[in-house]
Amino acid sequence: MIDTLYSIDALGTSSAFFLALLIGLGFGFTLERAGFSSSRRLAGVFYFTDMAVVKVMFTAIITAMLGLSYLLAFGWIWIQLDQIFLMPTIYGAQIVGGLLFGVGFAMGAWCPGTAAAGLAAGRIDALVFLISAVGGSILFNEIFPWIRPLYEYGNQGVLMVYDAVGMSRNTFILVFTLIAVAAFWLSEWAEKVRTGRGPYLESLFLIIFSLVYLALAVGLFFLTPPASL
C-alpha cells in the first residue's frame, strides 16, 4: 500500500512544503526549457501557429493515464482512490470558472504556472499577469458570500467522467486516446496551414507515436484491473 501526503493528512507539514518546492522548481525549469515561459508561444495556440502546448498537454495526460492504468493492472503499485485528492464536480462553478480562465488565458497568454516560469525568466508581462491573478483571488474571497450559490450549484461530489457519460473506464481511456491522437494530427495540420511548417505531419515518428498509444489503450481491455481501481 502506498501512503500519500494527502492520505496521512501531511499536506501542511514542512516536508510537504519542501517537496512542493522541489517539484515546483523542476516543473518551472522544464517549462522554461520547453519554451513555455514565453507568452508569444502560448498565444500561438489561439492563432493556430504554435500548437506545442496542446500536444504537450495531451501527451502528458494520456501518458499518465495509461501508465497508471498499467501499473495498477499489473499490481506493481497499490493505491486506493481515497488516498488521492479528487476534485469534486461542481457544474456551476467549473463552467463559469473555466470560461473566465479561458478568456484570461487568451487575453494574457499566460496560465499561473507558465506565468511563474515567465517571471523567473524576467518577463514583465508575467509579473502583471500574476499580480492580476492575486487581485482576482482576493476579489473572489471578498465577494464569495454573494456568489456562493453559484459556487455550490450542481455539486455532484467526486464524479468520474466515464461514470457521468455511462462508459466503462477502459472504453473512456480508448476514446480519450483517440481524441488525443486526433489532436496531434490536427495540430500539425493547423501549423502547416498557418505557417507552412508541420514537421511531424504524416511523418514516421507521428505514425508510430500514434499507433503505440492506441495499442496501449486497446491493451487495457485484455487485462483485469484490480478491485481498487
Side-chain angles (χ1 to χ4, degrees), residues 133-148:
V134 172
S137 299
I138 294 173
L139 176 63
F140 172 81
N141 185 69
E142 292 301 317
I143 67 173
F144 181 75
W146 288 277
I147 63 173
R148 185 165 188 163

Side-chain angles (χ1 to χ4, degrees), residues 64-83:
M65 178 177 64
L66 290 169
L68 181 60
S69 296
Y70 271 93
L71 288 174
L72 288 167
F74 286 126
W76 292 341
I77 61 173
W78 190 260
I79 191 167
Q80 302 286 344
L81 285 178
D82 59 7
Q83 293 177 285

Side-chain angles (χ1 to χ4, degrees), residues 24-195:
L25 288 173
F27 182 64
F29 176 78
T30 303
L31 285 177
E32 202 285 326
R33 295 301 298 168
F36 293 156
S37 62
S38 168
S39 59
R40 292 179 181 272
R41 184 160 201 184
L42 296 172
V45 174
F46 301 100
Y47 298 96
F48 303 105
T49 57
D50 190 336
M51 304 298 289
V53 173
V54 174
K55 290 179 279 190
V56 167
M57 289 300 296
F58 267 115
T59 302
I61 292 170
I62 61 175
T63 298
M65 178 177 64
L66 290 169
L68 181 60
S69 296
Y70 271 93
L71 288 174
L72 288 167
F74 286 126
W76 292 341
I77 61 173
W78 190 260
I79 191 167
Q80 302 286 344
L81 285 178
D82 59 7
Q83 293 177 285
I84 305 172
F85 175 74
L86 299 172
M87 287 289 293
T89 297
I90 308 174
Y91 289 119
Q94 288 164 350
I95 290 172
V96 175
L99 289 172
L100 288 174
F101 182 86
V103 171
F105 197 162
M107 293 178 63
W110 295 106
C111 72
T114 54
L119 178 60
R123 292 177 169 82
I124 302 302
D125 57 336
L127 174 61
V128 174
F129 182 90
L130 287 173
I131 291 175
S132 301
V134 172
S137 299
I138 294 173
L139 176 63
F140 172 81
N141 185 69
E142 292 301 317
I143 67 173
F144 181 75
W146 288 277
I147 63 173
R148 185 165 188 163
L150 173 64
Y151 180 81
E152 297 176 344
Y153 177 76
N155 188 348
Q156 303 295 308
V158 175
L159 179 65
M160 299 300 181
V161 177
Y162 49 84
D163 289 330
V165 298
M167 286 185 182
S168 70
R169 183 176 178 276
N170 287 345
T171 300
F172 172 77
I173 289 175
L174 176 59
V175 170
F176 192 87
T177 303
L178 285 168
I179 293 172
V181 168
F184 297 145
W185 285 82
L186 288 173
S187 295
E188 291 293 324
W189 175 80
E191 288 180 352
K192 180 72 173 180
V193 171
R194 293 286 290 165
T195 67

